[in-house]
């Protein structure tokens, strides 16, 4: 019998989930990953397979879930998470945020485990308050194309606090802002994978709208440290986790060109429906209660991320003809 703590990570074969799995293994926890692999990828956890204390279950968290043995914490990270993915999987996105959160909370209750919900800055929608503090209730279009994700996560937050209040489950809610790093999928449609792949392939960078909309990008190594600290804190109300350095998307694209040493051009395309005009986390609460703030600058983070995309593109044989000839 193991005396180590044991964590279940739903969506643990995804981009952020796989870094969490690694972090918890490194910090001497046993780790169980559950993933239905619709947007997750076994390649992200290949290096953990076969390691002592690591287990993987291919399972859909929206159905009845059972994990044999003790569970001390559940990190509920299962969900499509890019605007393209949740438009491809709108019903799965709604189900995993609602039914999946219910199942994961039920398991936490029955095991006496702590429960941490991966929520999102999308709960603030197209925000009318800037930067966004946790007290802001948001400006969300429930019936727009992003509504399936935004409302699922808002429901998930409500469900999490209901289990806390009604059943005394020890819960945490992380509101995660734009996060990037290696292991993002080449084709997931988000700004960073799109721009980096386009730049490496020598294609035009697709700037939606005029590119004046802003985002604030957090490197995944900072984010998972924040999740670790949040789990070990006693804060049951939501906490923003993200990098507060805000940048217009067009300037972000230029940084990608520099980091990839690319001479691609920028090309404007129509702005998608309900694309938030601005986004920047107010991280005062995370600083105060978790003593956490990001350390990795965008330039450093791009430097850590670009080689992964170069390798993936080489392996997939999808370099542009100009680059593959050189
Ligand atoms: N974006 C863009 N070109 C792309 C992909 C995204 O201009 O090829 C913009 C998108 O419209 C949004 C921002 O980049 O304003 C961030 O998009 P992403 O999909 O990464 O995440 P979001 O923050 O919108 O969920």
């Amino acid at each position: 019998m193991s005396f180590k703590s044991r964590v279940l990570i739903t969506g643990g074969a995804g981009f952020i989930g796989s870094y969490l799995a690694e972090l918890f293994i490194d910090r001497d926890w046993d780790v169980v990953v559950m993933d239905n692999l619709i947007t997750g990828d076994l390649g992200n956890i290949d290096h953990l397979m076969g390691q002592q204390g690591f287990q993987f279950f291919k399972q859909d968290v929206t159905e009845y879930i059972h994990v044999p043995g003790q569970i001390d914490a559940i990190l509920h990270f299962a969900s499509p998470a890019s605007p393209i993915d949740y438009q491809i999987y709108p019903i799965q996105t709604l189900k995993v945020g609602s039914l999946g959160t219910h199942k994961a909370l039920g398991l936490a209750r029955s095991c006496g485990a702590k429960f941490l919900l991966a929520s999102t800055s999308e709960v603030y929608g197209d925000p009318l308050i800037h930067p966004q503090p946790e007290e802001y209730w948001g400006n969300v279009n429930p019936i727009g194309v992003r509504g399936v994700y935004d409302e699922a996560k808002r429901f998930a937050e409500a469900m999490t606090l209901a289990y806390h209040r009604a059943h005394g489950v020890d819960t945490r809610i992380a509101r995660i802002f734009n996060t990037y790093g290696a292991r993002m999928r080449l084709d997931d449609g988000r700004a960073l994978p799109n721009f980096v792949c386009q730049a490496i392939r020598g294609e035009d960078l697709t700037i939606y709208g005029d590119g004046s909309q802003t985002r604030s990008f957090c490197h995944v190594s900072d984010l998972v440290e924040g999740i670790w600290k949040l789990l070990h804190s006693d804060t049951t109300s939501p906490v923003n986790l993200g990098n507060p350095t805000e940048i217009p998307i067009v300037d972000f694209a230029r940084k990608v060109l520099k980091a990839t040493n690319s001479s691609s051009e920028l090309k404007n395309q129509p702005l998608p429906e309900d694309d938030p005009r601005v986004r920047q986390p107010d991280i005062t609460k995370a600083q105060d209660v978790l003593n956490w703030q990001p350390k990795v600058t965008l330039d450093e983070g791009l430097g850590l991320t670009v080689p992964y995309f170069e390798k993936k593109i080489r392996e997939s044989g999808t370099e542009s003809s100009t680059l593959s000839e050189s």
Side-chain angles (χ1 to χ4, degrees), residues 169-226:
V169 176
D170 193 8
T171 57
R172 310 282 181 272
I173 297 175
R175 288 194 180 145
I176 300 171
F177 283 65
N178 294 71
T179 300
Y180 70 97
R183 298 191 199 146
M184 293 180 94
R185 289 202 337 269
L186 301 191
D187 56 353
D188 94 349
R190 284 186 268 202
L192 184 130
N194 271 10
F195 291 166
V196 172
C197 291
Q198 290 159 348
I200 293 171
R201 291 173 177 143
E203 299 165 355
D204 292 342
L205 271 56
T206 50
I207 308 293
Y208 299 159
D210 62 5
S212 63
Q213 70 273 30
T214 67
R215 293 294 185 273
S216 310
F217 293 95
C218 184
H219 188 256
V220 64
S221 59
D222 282 327
L223 192 270
V224 293
E225 194 60 47

Short mmCIF file of all heavy atoms in Angstrom, two decimals, residues 169-226:
data_model
loop_
_atom_site.label_atom_id
_atom_site.label_comp_id
_atom_site.label_asym_id
_atom_site.label_seq_id
_atom_site.Cartn_x
_atom_site.Cartn_y
_atom_site.Cartn_z
N VAL A 169 -17.55 19.59 0.27
CA VAL A 169 -16.36 19.19 -0.50
C VAL A 169 -15.37 20.36 -0.49
O VAL A 169 -15.76 21.53 -0.61
CB VAL A 169 -16.73 18.79 -1.95
CG1 VAL A 169 -15.48 18.47 -2.76
CG2 VAL A 169 -17.67 17.58 -1.94
N ASP A 170 -14.10 20.02 -0.33
CA ASP A 170 -13.03 21.03 -0.23
C ASP A 170 -12.64 21.44 -1.66
O ASP A 170 -11.89 20.71 -2.32
CB ASP A 170 -11.86 20.38 0.51
CG ASP A 170 -10.84 21.40 0.96
OD1 ASP A 170 -11.11 22.61 0.84
OD2 ASP A 170 -9.76 20.97 1.43
N THR A 171 -13.17 22.55 -2.13
CA THR A 171 -13.05 22.89 -3.56
C THR A 171 -12.17 24.11 -3.81
O THR A 171 -12.02 24.99 -2.96
CB THR A 171 -14.45 23.16 -4.16
OG1 THR A 171 -15.07 24.21 -3.42
CG2 THR A 171 -15.31 21.92 -4.14
N ARG A 172 -11.61 24.15 -5.04
CA ARG A 172 -10.84 25.30 -5.53
C ARG A 172 -11.29 25.60 -6.95
O ARG A 172 -11.62 24.66 -7.69
CB ARG A 172 -9.33 24.99 -5.60
CG ARG A 172 -8.73 24.39 -4.35
CD ARG A 172 -8.48 25.45 -3.28
NE ARG A 172 -7.89 24.82 -2.11
CZ ARG A 172 -8.60 24.29 -1.12
NH1 ARG A 172 -9.93 24.32 -1.15
NH2 ARG A 172 -7.99 23.74 -0.08
N ILE A 173 -11.24 26.87 -7.34
CA ILE A 173 -11.57 27.24 -8.72
C ILE A 173 -10.46 28.12 -9.28
O ILE A 173 -10.20 29.21 -8.75
CB ILE A 173 -12.92 28.00 -8.79
CG1 ILE A 173 -14.06 27.09 -8.31
CG2 ILE A 173 -13.18 28.50 -10.21
CD1 ILE A 173 -15.42 27.79 -8.22
N ALA A 174 -9.81 27.64 -10.34
CA ALA A 174 -8.77 28.44 -11.03
C ALA A 174 -9.40 29.04 -12.28
O ALA A 174 -9.92 28.30 -13.12
CB ALA A 174 -7.60 27.55 -11.40
N ARG A 175 -9.36 30.35 -12.41
CA ARG A 175 -9.80 30.98 -13.66
C ARG A 175 -8.54 31.21 -14.51
O ARG A 175 -7.76 32.13 -14.26
CB ARG A 175 -10.53 32.29 -13.40
CG ARG A 175 -11.90 32.04 -12.79
CD ARG A 175 -12.77 33.27 -12.83
NE ARG A 175 -14.07 32.98 -12.23
CZ ARG A 175 -14.78 33.83 -11.52
NH1 ARG A 175 -14.32 35.06 -11.32
NH2 ARG A 175 -15.95 33.49 -11.03
N ILE A 176 -8.37 30.34 -15.49
CA ILE A 176 -7.13 30.29 -16.26
C ILE A 176 -7.23 31.19 -17.49
O ILE A 176 -8.15 31.06 -18.29
CB ILE A 176 -6.85 28.83 -16.68
CG1 ILE A 176 -6.71 27.95 -15.42
CG2 ILE A 176 -5.60 28.75 -17.56
CD1 ILE A 176 -6.63 26.46 -15.72
N PHE A 177 -6.28 32.11 -17.60
CA PHE A 177 -6.20 33.00 -18.77
C PHE A 177 -5.32 32.34 -19.83
O PHE A 177 -4.71 31.31 -19.60
CB PHE A 177 -5.66 34.38 -18.35
CG PHE A 177 -6.70 35.23 -17.63
CD1 PHE A 177 -7.22 34.85 -16.40
CD2 PHE A 177 -7.18 36.40 -18.21
CE1 PHE A 177 -8.20 35.62 -15.75
CE2 PHE A 177 -8.14 37.17 -17.57
CZ PHE A 177 -8.65 36.79 -16.35
N ASN A 178 -5.24 32.97 -21.01
CA ASN A 178 -4.49 32.38 -22.14
C ASN A 178 -3.14 31.82 -21.69
O ASN A 178 -2.32 32.56 -21.13
CB ASN A 178 -4.26 33.42 -23.23
CG ASN A 178 -5.57 33.86 -23.87
OD1 ASN A 178 -6.37 34.55 -23.25
ND2 ASN A 178 -5.79 33.46 -25.11
N THR A 179 -2.95 30.55 -21.97
CA THR A 179 -1.72 29.85 -21.56
C THR A 179 -1.12 29.19 -22.80
O THR A 179 -1.85 28.75 -23.68
CB THR A 179 -2.07 28.79 -20.50
OG1 THR A 179 -2.65 29.47 -19.38
CG2 THR A 179 -0.85 28.02 -20.03
N TYR A 180 0.21 29.16 -22.87
CA TYR A 180 0.85 28.61 -24.07
C TYR A 180 2.10 27.83 -23.68
O TYR A 180 2.61 27.96 -22.57
CB TYR A 180 1.23 29.75 -25.05
CG TYR A 180 2.38 30.59 -24.52
CD1 TYR A 180 3.69 30.37 -24.93
CD2 TYR A 180 2.15 31.57 -23.56
CE1 TYR A 180 4.75 31.10 -24.41
CE2 TYR A 180 3.19 32.31 -23.04
CZ TYR A 180 4.48 32.08 -23.46
OH TYR A 180 5.52 32.80 -22.93
N GLY A 181 2.58 27.06 -24.64
CA GLY A 181 3.82 26.33 -24.43
C GLY A 181 3.89 25.16 -25.39
O GLY A 181 2.99 24.96 -26.22
N ALA A 182 4.95 24.38 -25.25
CA ALA A 182 5.07 23.16 -26.04
C ALA A 182 3.88 22.25 -25.72
O ALA A 182 3.27 22.39 -24.66
CB ALA A 182 6.38 22.46 -25.71
N ARG A 183 3.58 21.34 -26.62
CA ARG A 183 2.47 20.37 -26.52
C ARG A 183 1.12 20.95 -26.91
O ARG A 183 0.12 20.24 -26.85
CB ARG A 183 2.35 19.74 -25.13
CG ARG A 183 3.55 18.94 -24.75
CD ARG A 183 3.30 18.12 -23.49
NE ARG A 183 4.56 17.73 -22.92
CZ ARG A 183 4.79 17.61 -21.63
NH1 ARG A 183 3.82 17.79 -20.75
NH2 ARG A 183 5.99 17.28 -21.20
N MET A 184 1.03 22.26 -27.26
CA MET A 184 -0.23 22.70 -27.86
C MET A 184 -0.33 22.01 -29.22
O MET A 184 0.69 21.76 -29.86
CB MET A 184 -0.23 24.22 -28.05
CG MET A 184 -0.23 24.98 -26.75
SD MET A 184 -0.22 26.77 -27.02
CE MET A 184 -1.96 27.15 -26.95
N ARG A 185 -1.52 21.71 -29.66
CA ARG A 185 -1.67 21.02 -30.96
C ARG A 185 -1.42 21.98 -32.11
O ARG A 185 -1.83 23.14 -32.07
CB ARG A 185 -3.08 20.44 -31.10
CG ARG A 185 -3.33 19.25 -30.19
CD ARG A 185 -4.45 18.36 -30.67
NE ARG A 185 -5.41 19.01 -31.54
CZ ARG A 185 -6.52 19.62 -31.13
NH1 ARG A 185 -6.80 19.70 -29.84
NH2 ARG A 185 -7.36 20.15 -31.98
N LEU A 186 -0.74 21.48 -33.13
CA LEU A 186 -0.43 22.33 -34.30
C LEU A 186 -1.70 22.92 -34.90
O LEU A 186 -1.70 24.04 -35.38
CB LEU A 186 0.26 21.51 -35.40
CG LEU A 186 1.58 20.81 -35.09
CD1 LEU A 186 2.22 20.29 -36.36
CD2 LEU A 186 2.53 21.71 -34.35
N ASP A 187 -2.78 22.15 -34.86
CA ASP A 187 -3.98 22.54 -35.59
C ASP A 187 -5.11 22.97 -34.65
O ASP A 187 -6.27 22.83 -34.98
CB ASP A 187 -4.46 21.38 -36.45
CG ASP A 187 -4.68 20.12 -35.60
OD1 ASP A 187 -4.33 20.15 -34.41
OD2 ASP A 187 -5.22 19.13 -36.11
N ASP A 188 -4.79 23.46 -33.44
CA ASP A 188 -5.91 23.73 -32.53
C ASP A 188 -6.54 25.10 -32.76
O ASP A 188 -7.53 25.43 -32.13
CB ASP A 188 -5.53 23.44 -31.07
CG ASP A 188 -5.03 24.64 -30.30
OD1 ASP A 188 -4.76 25.69 -30.92
OD2 ASP A 188 -4.92 24.55 -29.07
N GLY A 189 -5.96 25.89 -33.68
CA GLY A 189 -6.63 27.11 -34.12
C GLY A 189 -6.38 28.33 -33.26
O GLY A 189 -6.81 29.43 -33.59
N ARG A 190 -5.68 28.16 -32.13
CA ARG A 190 -5.44 29.32 -31.28
C ARG A 190 -4.34 30.19 -31.87
O ARG A 190 -3.59 29.77 -32.75
CB ARG A 190 -5.06 28.88 -29.88
CG ARG A 190 -6.28 28.41 -29.11
CD ARG A 190 -5.96 28.10 -27.69
NE ARG A 190 -5.60 26.72 -27.53
CZ ARG A 190 -5.68 26.05 -26.38
NH1 ARG A 190 -6.09 26.66 -25.29
NH2 ARG A 190 -5.34 24.79 -26.31
N ALA A 191 -4.25 31.41 -31.32
CA ALA A 191 -3.32 32.38 -31.89
C ALA A 191 -1.89 31.84 -31.90
O ALA A 191 -1.20 31.91 -32.93
CB ALA A 191 -3.40 33.69 -31.11
N LEU A 192 -1.44 31.28 -30.77
CA LEU A 192 -0.02 30.89 -30.75
C LEU A 192 0.30 29.75 -31.71
O LEU A 192 1.21 29.89 -32.54
CB LEU A 192 0.45 30.56 -29.33
CG LEU A 192 1.95 30.24 -29.34
CD1 LEU A 192 2.71 31.01 -28.30
CD2 LEU A 192 2.21 28.76 -29.26
N PRO A 193 -0.42 28.62 -31.68
CA PRO A 193 -0.08 27.57 -32.65
C PRO A 193 -0.24 28.05 -34.09
O PRO A 193 0.62 27.75 -34.94
CB PRO A 193 -1.07 26.44 -32.34
CG PRO A 193 -1.57 26.72 -30.98
CD PRO A 193 -1.47 28.19 -30.76
N ASN A 194 -1.30 28.81 -34.36
CA ASN A 194 -1.48 29.30 -35.73
C ASN A 194 -0.29 30.15 -36.17
O ASN A 194 0.32 29.90 -37.21
CB ASN A 194 -2.75 30.17 -35.84
CG ASN A 194 -3.97 29.33 -36.16
OD1 ASN A 194 -3.92 28.11 -36.11
ND2 ASN A 194 -5.08 29.98 -36.46
N PHE A 195 0.03 31.17 -35.38
CA PHE A 195 1.09 32.11 -35.78
C PHE A 195 2.44 31.39 -35.89
O PHE A 195 3.19 31.61 -36.85
CB PHE A 195 1.21 33.27 -34.79
CG PHE A 195 0.03 34.23 -34.80
CD1 PHE A 195 -0.14 35.15 -33.76
CD2 PHE A 195 -0.90 34.22 -35.83
CE1 PHE A 195 -1.21 36.04 -33.76
CE2 PHE A 195 -1.99 35.10 -35.84
CZ PHE A 195 -2.14 36.01 -34.79
N VAL A 196 2.76 30.57 -34.90
CA VAL A 196 4.07 29.92 -34.91
C VAL A 196 4.18 28.98 -36.12
O VAL A 196 5.19 29.00 -36.84
CB VAL A 196 4.36 29.19 -33.58
CG1 VAL A 196 5.63 28.35 -33.67
CG2 VAL A 196 4.47 30.18 -32.43
N CYS A 197 3.13 28.20 -36.37
CA CYS A 197 3.18 27.27 -37.52
C CYS A 197 3.24 28.05 -38.82
O CYS A 197 4.02 27.70 -39.72
CB CYS A 197 1.96 26.34 -37.52
SG CYS A 197 1.99 25.18 -36.15
N GLN A 198 2.43 29.10 -38.94
CA GLN A 198 2.45 29.89 -40.18
C GLN A 198 3.83 30.51 -40.39
O GLN A 198 4.37 30.49 -41.50
CB GLN A 198 1.36 30.98 -40.11
CG GLN A 198 -0.06 30.41 -40.19
CD GLN A 198 -1.13 31.36 -39.63
OE1 GLN A 198 -0.82 32.37 -38.98
NE2 GLN A 198 -2.40 31.04 -39.88
N ALA A 199 4.40 31.03 -39.30
CA ALA A 199 5.72 31.69 -39.42
C ALA A 199 6.78 30.68 -39.84
O ALA A 199 7.61 30.95 -40.72
CB ALA A 199 6.09 32.35 -38.10
N ILE A 200 6.76 29.50 -39.24
CA ILE A 200 7.78 28.48 -39.56
C ILE A 200 7.62 28.02 -41.02
O ILE A 200 8.61 27.79 -41.72
CB ILE A 200 7.67 27.28 -38.60
CG1 ILE A 200 8.06 27.69 -37.18
CG2 ILE A 200 8.53 26.11 -39.07
CD1 ILE A 200 7.79 26.65 -36.11
N ARG A 201 6.37 27.93 -41.46
CA ARG A 201 6.13 27.43 -42.83
C ARG A 201 6.26 28.53 -43.90
O ARG A 201 6.09 28.26 -45.08
CB ARG A 201 4.72 26.85 -42.92
CG ARG A 201 4.55 25.56 -42.14
CD ARG A 201 3.10 25.14 -42.13
NE ARG A 201 2.92 23.86 -41.45
CZ ARG A 201 1.88 23.56 -40.68
NH1 ARG A 201 0.91 24.44 -40.51
NH2 ARG A 201 1.78 22.39 -40.10
N GLY A 202 6.49 29.76 -43.44
CA GLY A 202 6.63 30.86 -44.39
C GLY A 202 5.30 31.31 -44.98
O GLY A 202 5.25 31.94 -46.04
N GLU A 203 4.20 30.98 -44.28
CA GLU A 203 2.87 31.41 -44.74
C GLU A 203 2.50 32.75 -44.08
O GLU A 203 3.09 33.12 -43.05
CB GLU A 203 1.82 30.37 -44.34
CG GLU A 203 2.06 29.00 -44.95
CD GLU A 203 1.25 27.90 -44.26
OE1 GLU A 203 0.58 28.18 -43.25
OE2 GLU A 203 1.32 26.76 -44.75
N ASP A 204 1.48 33.43 -44.65
CA ASP A 204 0.99 34.66 -44.02
C ASP A 204 0.43 34.36 -42.64
O ASP A 204 -0.23 33.33 -42.45
CB ASP A 204 -0.13 35.29 -44.86
CG ASP A 204 0.38 35.81 -46.20
OD1 ASP A 204 1.61 36.01 -46.33
OD2 ASP A 204 -0.46 36.02 -47.10
N LEU A 205 0.64 35.27 -41.69
CA LEU A 205 0.04 35.12 -40.37
C LEU A 205 -1.38 35.69 -40.41
O LEU A 205 -1.58 36.84 -40.82
CB LEU A 205 0.86 35.85 -39.30
CG LEU A 205 1.98 35.02 -38.64
CD1 LEU A 205 2.95 34.45 -39.65
CD2 LEU A 205 2.70 35.83 -37.58
N THR A 206 -2.36 34.90 -40.00
CA THR A 206 -3.77 35.29 -40.10
C THR A 206 -4.17 36.15 -38.90
O THR A 206 -4.39 35.63 -37.80
CB THR A 206 -4.66 34.04 -40.15
OG1 THR A 206 -4.27 33.17 -39.06
CG2 THR A 206 -4.50 33.28 -41.46
N ILE A 207 -4.25 37.46 -39.11
CA ILE A 207 -4.64 38.37 -38.02
C ILE A 207 -6.15 38.58 -38.12
O ILE A 207 -6.63 39.14 -39.11
CB ILE A 207 -3.95 39.74 -38.17
CG1 ILE A 207 -2.43 39.59 -38.33
CG2 ILE A 207 -4.32 40.68 -37.02
CD1 ILE A 207 -1.73 39.08 -37.12
N TYR A 208 -6.89 38.13 -37.13
CA TYR A 208 -8.34 38.29 -37.16
C TYR A 208 -8.69 39.73 -36.78
O TYR A 208 -8.19 40.25 -35.77
CB TYR A 208 -9.03 37.30 -36.23
CG TYR A 208 -8.78 35.84 -36.58
CD1 TYR A 208 -8.95 34.84 -35.62
CD2 TYR A 208 -8.37 35.46 -37.86
CE1 TYR A 208 -8.73 33.50 -35.93
CE2 TYR A 208 -8.14 34.12 -38.17
CZ TYR A 208 -8.32 33.15 -37.21
OH TYR A 208 -8.09 31.82 -37.51
N GLY A 209 -9.56 40.35 -37.59
CA GLY A 209 -9.88 41.76 -37.37
C GLY A 209 -8.66 42.60 -37.66
O GLY A 209 -7.80 42.22 -38.48
N ASP A 210 -8.54 43.75 -36.96
CA ASP A 210 -7.37 44.60 -37.20
C ASP A 210 -6.22 44.25 -36.25
O ASP A 210 -5.17 44.89 -36.26
CB ASP A 210 -7.75 46.08 -37.10
CG ASP A 210 -8.25 46.46 -35.72
OD1 ASP A 210 -8.22 45.59 -34.80
OD2 ASP A 210 -8.69 47.61 -35.53
N GLY A 211 -6.45 43.25 -35.40
CA GLY A 211 -5.38 42.80 -34.49
C GLY A 211 -5.21 43.70 -33.28
O GLY A 211 -4.27 43.52 -32.51
N SER A 212 -6.15 44.64 -33.09
CA SER A 212 -6.01 45.53 -31.92
C SER A 212 -6.56 44.89 -30.64
O SER A 212 -6.34 45.39 -29.54
CB SER A 212 -6.71 46.87 -32.18
OG SER A 212 -8.09 46.64 -32.35
N GLN A 213 -7.30 43.76 -30.80
CA GLN A 213 -7.79 43.06 -29.60
C GLN A 213 -6.59 42.56 -28.80
O GLN A 213 -5.57 42.21 -29.39
CB GLN A 213 -8.75 41.91 -29.96
CG GLN A 213 -8.15 40.69 -30.63
CD GLN A 213 -8.05 40.81 -32.15
OE1 GLN A 213 -7.91 41.91 -32.68
NE2 GLN A 213 -8.09 39.69 -32.85
N THR A 214 -6.74 42.57 -27.48
CA THR A 214 -5.58 42.21 -26.64
C THR A 214 -5.78 40.86 -25.94
O THR A 214 -6.91 40.43 -25.71
CB THR A 214 -5.32 43.27 -25.55
OG1 THR A 214 -6.41 43.25 -24.61
CG2 THR A 214 -5.15 44.66 -26.15
N ARG A 215 -4.65 40.23 -25.64
CA ARG A 215 -4.62 39.05 -24.78
C ARG A 215 -3.39 39.18 -23.90
O ARG A 215 -2.51 40.01 -24.15
CB ARG A 215 -4.52 37.75 -25.60
CG ARG A 215 -5.75 37.42 -26.45
CD ARG A 215 -7.00 37.12 -25.64
NE ARG A 215 -8.12 36.71 -26.46
CZ ARG A 215 -8.99 37.55 -27.03
NH1 ARG A 215 -8.88 38.86 -26.89
NH2 ARG A 215 -10.00 37.06 -27.74
N SER A 216 -3.29 38.29 -22.90
CA SER A 216 -2.17 38.30 -21.96
C SER A 216 -1.73 36.86 -21.83
O SER A 216 -2.50 36.03 -21.35
CB SER A 216 -2.64 38.86 -20.61
OG SER A 216 -3.34 40.07 -20.80
N PHE A 217 -0.54 36.54 -22.29
CA PHE A 217 -0.14 35.13 -22.47
C PHE A 217 0.76 34.65 -21.33
O PHE A 217 1.79 35.27 -21.03
CB PHE A 217 0.58 34.95 -23.80
CG PHE A 217 -0.31 35.17 -24.99
CD1 PHE A 217 -0.38 36.41 -25.62
CD2 PHE A 217 -1.10 34.14 -25.48
CE1 PHE A 217 -1.20 36.62 -26.71
CE2 PHE A 217 -1.94 34.34 -26.57
CZ PHE A 217 -1.99 35.58 -27.19
N CYS A 218 0.38 33.53 -20.74
CA CYS A 218 1.11 32.97 -19.60
C CYS A 218 1.80 31.67 -20.02
O CYS A 218 1.16 30.80 -20.63
CB CYS A 218 0.11 32.68 -18.48
SG CYS A 218 0.84 32.07 -16.96
N HIS A 219 3.07 31.54 -19.69
CA HIS A 219 3.76 30.29 -20.03
C HIS A 219 3.26 29.17 -19.10
O HIS A 219 3.04 29.39 -17.91
CB HIS A 219 5.28 30.44 -19.92
CG HIS A 219 6.00 29.24 -20.45
ND1 HIS A 219 6.57 28.29 -19.64
CD2 HIS A 219 6.16 28.80 -21.72
CE1 HIS A 219 7.09 27.34 -20.41
NE2 HIS A 219 6.85 27.62 -21.67
N VAL A 220 3.13 27.98 -19.68
CA VAL A 220 2.51 26.86 -18.94
C VAL A 220 3.27 26.51 -17.66
O VAL A 220 2.66 26.07 -16.68
CB VAL A 220 2.34 25.64 -19.88
CG1 VAL A 220 3.69 25.10 -20.35
CG2 VAL A 220 1.48 24.57 -19.25
N SER A 221 4.59 26.73 -17.63
CA SER A 221 5.35 26.39 -16.41
C SER A 221 4.91 27.28 -15.24
O SER A 221 4.85 26.83 -14.09
CB SER A 221 6.86 26.55 -16.65
OG SER A 221 7.15 27.89 -17.02
N ASP A 222 4.59 28.54 -15.53
CA ASP A 222 4.08 29.43 -14.47
C ASP A 222 2.69 28.99 -14.04
O ASP A 222 2.35 28.96 -12.85
CB ASP A 222 4.01 30.87 -14.99
CG ASP A 222 5.37 31.56 -15.00
OD1 ASP A 222 6.20 31.25 -14.11
OD2 ASP A 222 5.60 32.40 -15.88
N LEU A 223 1.88 28.65 -15.03
CA LEU A 223 0.48 28.31 -14.73
C LEU A 223 0.39 27.10 -13.79
O LEU A 223 -0.34 27.13 -12.79
CB LEU A 223 -0.23 28.04 -16.06
CG LEU A 223 -1.75 27.93 -16.14
CD1 LEU A 223 -2.26 26.54 -15.93
CD2 LEU A 223 -2.47 28.91 -15.21
N VAL A 224 1.15 26.03 -14.11
CA VAL A 224 1.01 24.81 -13.30
C VAL A 224 1.52 25.04 -11.87
O VAL A 224 1.01 24.45 -10.92
CB VAL A 224 1.65 23.56 -13.96
CG1 VAL A 224 0.90 23.18 -15.22
CG2 VAL A 224 3.14 23.74 -14.23
N GLU A 225 2.49 25.93 -11.72
CA GLU A 225 2.95 26.28 -10.36
C GLU A 225 1.81 26.98 -9.60
O GLU A 225 1.60 26.74 -8.41
CB GLU A 225 4.17 27.21 -10.48
CG GLU A 225 4.97 27.39 -9.23
CD GLU A 225 5.55 26.09 -8.67
OE1 GLU A 225 6.13 25.30 -9.43
OE2 GLU A 225 5.38 25.88 -7.45
N GLY A 226 1.06 27.82 -10.30
CA GLY A 226 -0.09 28.49 -9.68
C GLY A 226 -1.17 27.49 -9.28
O GLY A 226 -1.78 27.61 -8.22
#
